[in-house]
């Protein structure tokens, strides 16, 4: 049974109930003096608390989708992301297709790709960095239709939060279904979606940085991934060909990539993203002790001290329920006023740092992003 299986959660909840009931029944028998009754009482308390904590941890993981499988949790298995693959350096192998999956939530499971598109599980190698990670590529129906056979499509790179798996963007936010419905209504251009996790060097959180002496994650996302996509799919080149969107850590990455590489990404969307690189045990030292590099990873600092890039950004979040997100966002928007960086916002009255909140903003966000991309050419 998988980590996110309802059966695992139900079994854990049942064991918790039995542990509590067993403690109630056994407690009178363990009320005596001596070391054996004391050990018995300690054992029942520890067992009950452990079972309840496991159930709560499973509930939290299912809700926030931190880990999608036992291998993802334990860092085992052959399908995990590969940190360094030096054999990739210097050549462009393109995207490696691993499998094809159904487009969910459309009422059209099994229909032809020219009707609902196609979702491919892939590995995205980096020719210049040696980095690699797994993700998903969604090809819209038009990609397979005769009228578009000679056309190249814009693409959007979608990045989830850390340490989430790219599958969360399919199972929790369902990017393919949302994009398909927008295209069918004429609210978005036919667009290729590339669904990814935020670090190609797991289990380290690289915050989309080029780490001195370490993983070059910025270059991976801004150079390697676009090159691999264009080597494998009919992806457009030039202005308006690429956009980027993300939630939480992915939102920070999206803004930073677009601000650092406006020649690559036409626009970016951040859903509950932050504005300064995290620094904790999962990141390690991202800047090699260089304060200037750390400052440049602070997006508000960049606007205040460096030439503002000519790019369009959309920031989405809530006034209440997501920590100090709203205050940070208002400061960022204020710093961008009067500059070449145009910042728009979606602001909900309330909503936590979770997939439910991001789902509410996703259709509008993808529609806005599509307005800043070029038509299939």
């Amino acid at each position: 049974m998988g980590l996110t299986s309802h059966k695992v959660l139900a079994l854990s909840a049942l064991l918790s109930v039995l542990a509590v009931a067993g403690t109630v029944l056994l407690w009178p028998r363990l009320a005596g003096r001596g070391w054996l009754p004391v050990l018995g009482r300690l054992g029942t308390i520890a067992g009950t608390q452990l079972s309840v904590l496991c159930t709560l941890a499973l509930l939290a993981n299912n809700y926030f989708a931190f880990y999608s499988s036992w291998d993802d949790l334990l860092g085992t298995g052959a399908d995990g992301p590969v940190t360094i693959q030096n054999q990739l350096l210097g050549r462009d192998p393109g995207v490696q297709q691993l499998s094809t999956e159904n487009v969910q939530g459309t009422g059209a499971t099994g229909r032809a790709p020219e009707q609902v598109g196609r979702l491919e599980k892939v590995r995205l190698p980096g020719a210049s960095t040696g980095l690699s990670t797994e993700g998903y590529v969604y090809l819209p129906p038009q990609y397979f239709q005769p009228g578009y056979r000679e056309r190249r499509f814009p693409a959007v790179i979608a990045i989830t939060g850390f340490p989430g798996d790219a599958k969360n963007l399919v199972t929790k936010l369902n990017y393919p279904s949302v994009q398909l419905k927008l295209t069918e209504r004429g609210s978005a251009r036919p667009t290729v979606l590339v669904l990814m996790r935020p670090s190609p060097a797991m289990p380290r959180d690289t915050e989309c940085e080029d780490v001195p002496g370490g993983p070059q994650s910025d270059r991976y996302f801004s150079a390697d991934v676009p090159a691999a996509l264009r080597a494998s799919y009919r992806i457009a080149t030039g202005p308006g060909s690429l956009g980027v969107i993300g939630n939480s850590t992915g939102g920070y990455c999206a803004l930073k990539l677009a601000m650092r590489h406006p020649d690559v990404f036409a626009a970016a969307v951040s859903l509950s993203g932050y504005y300064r690189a995290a620094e904790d045990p999962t990141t390690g030292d991202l800047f090699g002790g260089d304060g200037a590099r750390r400052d440049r990873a602070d997006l508000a600092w960049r606007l205040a001290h460096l030439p503002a890039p000519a790019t369009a950004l959309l920031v989405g979040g809530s006034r209440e329920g997501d920590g100090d997100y709203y205050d940070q966002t208002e400061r960022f928007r204020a710093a961008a006023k009067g500059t070449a960086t145009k910042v728009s916002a979606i602001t909900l009255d309330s909503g936590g740092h979770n997939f439910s909140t991001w789902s509410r903003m996703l259709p509008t966000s993808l529609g806005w992003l599509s307005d800043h991309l070029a038509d299939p050419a």
Side-chain angles (χ1 to χ4, degrees):
M1 291 184 288
L3 177 63
T4 59
S5 167
H6 293 302
K7 292 180 181 179
V8 171
L9 179 58
L11 179 60
S12 180
L14 177 61
L15 291 175
S16 297
V17 171
L18 292 176
V20 172
T23 298
V24 172
L25 292 174
L26 291 174
W27 198 260
R29 302 182 184 182
L30 301 173
R33 297 180 178 180
W35 64 273
L36 285 177
V38 171
L39 288 178
R41 292 196 295 272
L42 290 174
T44 57
I45 292 172
T48 301
Q49 290 184 338
L50 181 61
S51 62
V52 172
L53 286 174
C54 285
T55 301
L56 292 176
L58 287 169
L59 276 171
N61 185 67
N62 284 3
Y63 186 72
F64 292 104
F66 295 123
Y67 302 97
S68 62
S69 66
W70 296 109
D71 285 337
D72 195 23
L73 173 65
L74 300 174
T76 60
D79 292 333
V82 177
T83 301
I84 298 293
Q85 293 182 323
N86 289 324
Q87 66 268 28
L88 298 175
L89 292 172
R91 62 190 184 92
D92 188 0
V95 175
Q96 302 162 15
Q97 183 179 341
L98 304 178
S99 63
T100 300
E101 303 191 8
N102 290 324
V103 180
Q104 302 295 329
T106 64
T109 301
R111 284 168 56 185
E114 59 266 21
Q115 295 176 303
V116 298
R118 187 166 71 195
L119 181 63
E120 299 178 352
K121 185 176 182 180
V122 300
R123 180 171 290 280
L124 297 140
S128 71
T129 61
L131 297 170
S132 176
T133 189
E134 289 182 4
Y136 295 84
V137 170
Y138 171 68
L139 303 170
Q142 291 79 4
Y143 193 91
F144 305 96
Q145 295 172 2
Y148 289 82
R149 188 164 294 159
E150 302 301 323
R151 298 196 182 190
R152 292 184 173 271
F153 291 77
V156 168
I157 296 174
I159 308 173
T160 192
F162 185 87
D165 191 272
K167 193 171 184 179
N168 298 339
L169 301 176
V170 178
T171 59
K172 299 294 183 179
L173 292 177
N174 205 347
Y175 268 80
S177 176
V178 173
Q179 180 68 32
L180 176 61
K181 291 174 182 176
L182 289 172
T183 305
E184 289 175 339
R185 293 200 303 261
S187 301
R189 293 173 171 82
T191 303
V192 174
L193 299 180
V194 187
L195 313 177
M196 304 184 66
R197 68 193 314 165
S199 176
M202 294 293 287
R204 187 176 188 181
D205 177 8
T206 59
E207 298 284 300
C208 296
E209 279 292 320
D210 283 345
V211 181
Q216 304 295 287
S217 294
D218 181 310
R219 182 151 51 95
Y220 173 74
F221 281 106
S222 62
D224 285 349
V225 171
L229 290 171
R230 288 174 175 136
S232 303
Y233 302 101
R234 300 197 314 273
I235 303 298
T237 58
S241 59
L242 290 178
V244 58
I245 182 174
N247 56 272
S248 190
T249 302
Y252 167 69
C253 283
L255 296 182
K256 181 163 64 176
L257 290 169
M259 293 176 70
R260 286 181 172 178
H261 308 283
D263 56 326
V264 176
F265 300 104
V269 178
S270 169
L271 304 178
S272 296
Y274 42 89
Y275 301 94
R276 182 180 174 87
E279 295 182 76
D280 56 38
T282 67
T283 66
D285 183 2
L286 296 173
F287 309 105
D290 188 336
R293 294 178 70 100
R294 182 180 292 106
D295 286 340
R296 291 195 294 272
D298 183 326
L299 305 186
W301 186 95
R302 292 184 68 90
L303 286 175
H305 296 88
L306 299 177
T311 188
L313 309 175
L314 175 64
V315 291
S318 58
R319 287 187 175 86
E320 296 182 0
D322 196 5
D324 63 349
Y325 164 80
Y326 181 71
D327 292 337
Q328 290 186 43
T329 298
E330 289 303 293
R331 288 194 291 270
F332 179 74
R333 293 178 66 190
K337 284 184 178 179
T339 73
T341 302
K342 305 306 178 186
V343 182
S344 303
I346 301 174
T347 305
L348 304 178
D349 289 335
S350 62
H353 196 81
N354 54 52
F355 288 101
S356 176
T357 299
W358 304 327
S359 294
R360 293 159 61 192
M361 297 185 286
L362 186 59
T364 300
S365 299
L366 286 177
W368 179 92
L369 194 53
S370 179
D371 290 339
H372 291 81
L373 299 177
D375 285 318

